[in-house]
Amino acid sequence: MKFSGIKSVKEDINNATIELYANKRVLIFDCKSVVDYSKECVVLDLGTSKLKLVGENFVVDSFVFGQTDITGEIHSLEFF
C-alpha cells in the first residue's frame, strides 16, 4: 500500500474510522468483519484493505453494527 497523504489513506480504508486510545484500546467504525483473532493478533476487514493489530491480551469487547471495540496492549498497527 502506498501512502501519499491522509486522503490516500482514507480511500484505502474505505469509510472506516479508527480511534486509538493510547496503546490500550482501539475503536473501529464501519468494520466489515473480524478475519483472524487471537490474544496476540487481530486482523480486521475494512472493505478495500485489512488492518492487523499486533500486541498482547487482545479481547474483542464488541462487534455490533460494524463498530468493533478491542482492548489489550497494542504494539503495532499495519494496513495491507
Side-chain angles (χ1 to χ4, degrees), residues 2-72:
K2 182 178 178 181
F3 295 119
S4 59
I6 299 291
K7 184 176 180 185
S8 294
V9 172
K10 184 66 176 167
E11 290 169 1
D12 286 338
I13 62 173
N14 201 13
N15 291 321
T17 301
I18 300 167
E19 294 180 5
L20 185 62
Y21 297 90
N23 68 332
K24 302 293 182 195
R25 181 180 181 203
V26 63
L27 287 173
I28 300 99
F29 299 90
D30 202 25
C31 179
K32 306 303 180 202
S33 66
V34 177
V35 177
D36 191 20
Y37 171 63
S38 71
K39 292 287 186 185
E40 295 82 27
C41 180
V42 178
V43 178
L44 305 169
D45 182 359
L46 304 180
T48 56
S49 67
K50 292 183 176 46
L51 173 64
K52 180 179 181 180
L53 305 168
V54 177
E56 300 174 24
N57 302 317
F58 284 133
V59 175
V60 177
D61 292 318
S62 69
F63 183 79
V64 179
F65 302 112
Q67 178 178 331
T68 308
D69 188 357
I70 300 171
T71 56

